[in-house]
Amino acid sequence: MLTLYDAARCPYCARARIALAEKGVEFEALEIDLNDRPEWIYEKNPTGRVPVVEEDAWILPESSVIMEYLEERYPEPPLLPADPGDRALARVWIFRHDDFTKPYYALRRGEDGAAERFEEQLAKLDAALERQPWLSGGEYGLADIAYVPWVLRARDMLGVSFDELPAVRSWLDRLEQRPAIAREVDVVASL
Ligand SMILES: N[C@@H](CCC(=O)N[C@@H](CS)C(=O)NCC(=O)O)C(=O)O
């Protein structure tokens, strides 16, 4: 049985939760209190951060790597495109996620200019989603899973409006029809 060291509020953990749910992998989630972390979490991950997955005493941190691991370990249903070029482009989105999340965290901290910087990132997402239905390409996949946790939290916890972003709205509507994402919407509502 796979164990996920998890925190409901953590968007990086949400990536792992969503990917596991999409793959239909049974797992045990162990909630870590991020305000009072157990000492032993540093044995699982020297940074003390979640998510971490553990399978038969084998341990893996880092949400981007966890998503890739799950894709290889549990190939069905595929969450990366079949074409190597399209797979590479999906990975570029994941590789550059900091461009998106840094202004998100700046906004959460109430920094000057952060709202504008985050709006710029959302506009880039909207432009990309006008060109293709999913960040992962023609099909839903890991790049979408990599971004949606922050988009949901921006909407539902920070009150960011997507009124001027029709492609992002359409993407979210389609995403929320997926049980794995609908479950994450519920997690965010419970925070
Ligand atoms: N690069 C890590 C980042 C994970 C991360 O920052 N997790 C946060 C919770 S959302 C955490 O554990 N924070 C505790 C800390 O920074 O000490 C990943 O992608 O998994």
Side-chain angles (χ1 to χ4, degrees), residues 64-180:
S64 303
V65 185
I66 290 171
M67 288 194 299
E68 289 270 355
Y69 166 71
L70 293 174
E71 178 66 5
E72 292 187 359
R73 173 84 169 80
Y74 305 98
E76 294 300 329
L79 293 173
L80 279 173
D83 176 75
D86 292 340
R87 291 168 85 87
L89 290 176
R91 289 183 171 119
V92 171
W93 276 105
I94 301 170
F95 189 77
R96 293 188 174 157
H97 75 92
D98 268 359
D99 295 348
F100 188 79
T101 56
K102 275 188 184 154
Y104 166 90
Y105 287 112
L107 178 63
R108 230 183 51 174
R109 289 191 297 269
E111 282 178 22
D112 282 350
E116 291 74 15
R117 292 207 302 283
F118 190 54
E119 264 171 36
E120 274 169 32
Q121 289 301 320
L122 284 169
K124 280 189 191 164
L125 211 61
D126 198 65
L129 290 165
E130 263 177 21
R131 293 192 297 272
Q132 60 189 42
W134 304 100
L135 296 179
S136 300
E139 306 284 339
Y140 162 78
L142 291 187
D144 305 282
I145 295 171
Y147 280 68
V148 70
W150 285 268
V151 176
L152 292 177
R153 283 163 176 76
R155 183 190 67 184
D156 298 348
M157 297 177 74
L158 304 184
V160 172
S161 158
F162 304 143
D163 285 353
E164 308 297 322
L165 303 165
V168 169
R169 280 207 319 273
S170 152
W171 175 71
L172 271 180
D173 285 347
R174 282 175 281 124
L175 283 170
E176 288 182 81
Q177 284 163 29
R178 307 188 69 85

Side-chain angles (χ1 to χ4, degrees), residues 10-12 34 37 48-51 62-63:
C10 173
Y12 298 97
L34 293 174
R37 262 168 297 178
R49 292 183 171 169
V50 287
E62 292 299 335
S63 61

Side-chain angles (χ1 to χ4, degrees), residues 6-15 17 34 50-51 149 153 184 191:
D6 196 16
R9 76 173 201 226
C10 173
Y12 298 97
C13 292
R15 288 171 159 186
R17 289 194 288 270
L34 293 174
V50 287
R153 283 163 176 76
E184 189 57 31
L191 294 174

